[in-house]
Amino acid sequence: MAGDGWASGAPTAEVYRIDWLPGTDVLHGICHCGAERTAEDPVELWQWMLAHPTGHHPTGHYPTGHRKEMT
């Protein structure tokens, strides 16, 4: 993919985050656009993130048991 930084080795500003929800088998992913999704399968979560913007709707919602870290 041209312009994504992979071919040149240059870093991108896109940040993806996956957190494990303690006490569950659930992972919570946050795309660089702010869209969020939960899944038990890490491959499914990464495929969703890397498919951006398909299926991405930023909500700012955090699942029960997930704490947003203060910056």
Side-chain angles (χ1 to χ4, degrees):
M1 291 189 258
D4 65 1
W6 287 98
S8 67
T12 66
E14 297 171 353
V15 176
Y16 301 91
R17 180 177 178 143
I18 295 180
D19 295 317
W20 166 65
L21 300 179
T24 72
D25 291 332
V26 177
L27 299 170
H28 176 237
I30 304 172
C31 181
H32 64 88
C33 71
E36 300 178 31
R37 184 173 182 160
T38 57
E40 290 185 13
D41 181 3
V43 173
E44 175 187 336
L45 203 50
W46 275 111
Q47 287 175 336
W48 169 78
M49 285 187 173
L50 296 175
H52 174 86
T54 303
H56 291 226
H57 306 286
T59 63
H61 168 73
Y62 290 86
T64 302
H66 184 359
R67 182 182 72 202
K68 181 177 180 180
E69 294 183 23
M70 303 304 242
T71 56

